[in-house]
Amino acid sequence: MSNNILFEAAAKPLAGVDYFSLRVCEDGSRQLTFRNGILEPPSYLTDRGAMVLVHDRGGIGYGATADLSARGIEKAAVIARKWAHHSSKIAVTDFSKLTMPSVSGSYKSKAGNSERGVSDATALEFLEPVAVSIANGIDVVDSAVDLWMVHYRQKQWTDTGSLVEQEFEFMFPSASVTVSRDNEVQRRSIGVDTYGAQAGWELLDNTDFKDHALSLPAQALELVAAPNCPSGNRDVLIDPEQMTLQIHESIGHPLELDRILGDERNYAGTSFVTEDMFGSYRYGSDLLNVVYDPGVSGELASFKFDDEGYPAERQYIIKDGTLLRPLGGSVSQGRSTLNDGGVAVSRSCSWNRPPMDRMANLNVVPGSSSLDEMIRSIENGIYLKTNNSWSIDDSRNKFQFGCEWGQLIENGKLTNVVKNPNYRGISANFWRNLKMVGDEST
């Protein structure tokens, strides 16, 4: 059925409402997994549906459906209008006062080879030798090699005249090895934090994924033989694999504006950040510069428009250590007291989920230090790689992270490998002690 007919079906019962939109999504994925060198049954998923959003009488309502007929869309629109009227009596803001976007455009992942053009045979030919090799490693008790390929499309219309089309292709390769010797068990893994991207098959052609995966058994055995990480205060040099999660937990979540406004306190916690901190709060040292930049090509959360239809543009979140703006979409911005109240981060995870404030492409801006320079600057420290556990309190303030791999830094040199490293701190105190930031090469 024509998508225009679907929009007309949504509009039919919504005449006179303050605002409405229709978002139609299609999600297709394939997953190929080897466990202990043996191919598991492949997984194939296709998921299609639509979401109608309505603002009316000051309230907001949603209606989702997997019935992509005109009748199904019309029914979802009626449900959305009904919930908007119910919520108008208890809504935390007057949604009729929000100015919704009227822009059109498109976005498509820059992938050299569409995942739909990569046959299972091609993928298996690449994965199987790696899976068999690491499964047969000495003292290996468990291993996995996995490739998840996703193709996601969505189209959104609004009654303000917007039409936004976006298409995403994702590749998620991963591998892990667990070894056991003398009652000691250790694991080494690689995954989304290192290799996940908006990309096609060129991701595997142009990275060291295969070599990295083949090295995992030897690394795990090295950890088995290594001493436990010593305790005490010392400098930490954090690899990008671990820094991804550090940023996510101690910068991303605390700065989500709906969390700051209290929406999630009974679900995912609140935040130590308050509205009066923006523009003056010292979040980190002068070296801490953090940007929201969905325009960076290939990253997992690259996009051109959020799911309310607002254009996504690069913005500083933290500049020279000072907190500037939160991660808040239009609804949160309309509720907040901030003059510069956020960025276009209102996004959904599926057709049957409404958009909400979700961090996206939140990056520490590269500094001027090479990896060697950072190592040479440390007298007593530890190099940390690959997360294996994390815990952070309900206000996203006090944290504790465990890593798979640690290596001592003594008098400016990498020395002994240590196992079971973990570190803990308080978000702002941690970032205020930032001494060096890696350059583009890191």
Side-chain angles (χ1 to χ4, degrees), residues 12-56:
K12 185 177 179 181
L14 298 179
V17 300
D18 295 330
Y19 169 82
F20 79 88
S21 69
L22 170 67
R23 178 167 49 89
V24 178
C25 308
E26 180 177 353
D27 185 0
S29 70
R30 292 183 289 156
Q31 191 163 8
L32 303 173
T33 301
F34 284 86
R35 188 70 181 268
N36 296 323
I38 300 172
L39 178 64
E40 295 190 338
S43 171
Y44 304 92
L45 170 69
T46 299
D47 190 23
R48 300 183 184 94
M51 171 74 78
V52 179
L53 177 150
V54 173
H55 293 175
D56 199 33

Side-chain angles (χ1 to χ4, degrees), residues 134 175-177 188-190 211-221:
I134 65 175
S176 66
V177 170
R188 282 294 285 136
S189 64
I190 52 175
D211 291 340
H212 199 165
L214 291 172
S215 72
L216 296 179
Q219 293 180 19
L221 285 172

Side-chain angles (χ1 to χ4, degrees), residues 5 54 96 155 165 263 287 367 372 388 421 433:
I5 293 176
V54 173
S96 65
K155 195 170 184 178
E165 298 180 76
D263 291 4
L287 296 176
D372 287 344
N388 67 5
N433 279 283

Side-chain angles (χ1 to χ4, degrees), residues 149-200:
M149 297 171 280
V150 178
H151 186 84
Y152 184 82
R153 295 185 297 173
Q154 69 177 39
K155 195 170 184 178
Q156 180 169 309
W157 301 258
T158 72
D159 68 348
T160 59
S162 296
L163 174 57
V164 171
E165 298 180 76
Q166 300 194 92
E167 186 171 358
F168 306 89
E169 293 187 20
F170 301 98
M171 296 283 280
F172 301 96
S174 64
S176 66
V177 170
T178 301
V179 301
S180 176
R181 178 182 289 177
D182 299 330
N183 296 319
E184 175 71 31
V185 177
Q186 289 291 322
R187 180 177 186 267
R188 282 294 285 136
S189 64
I190 52 175
V192 61
D193 291 339
T194 309
Y195 294 103
Q198 284 189 45

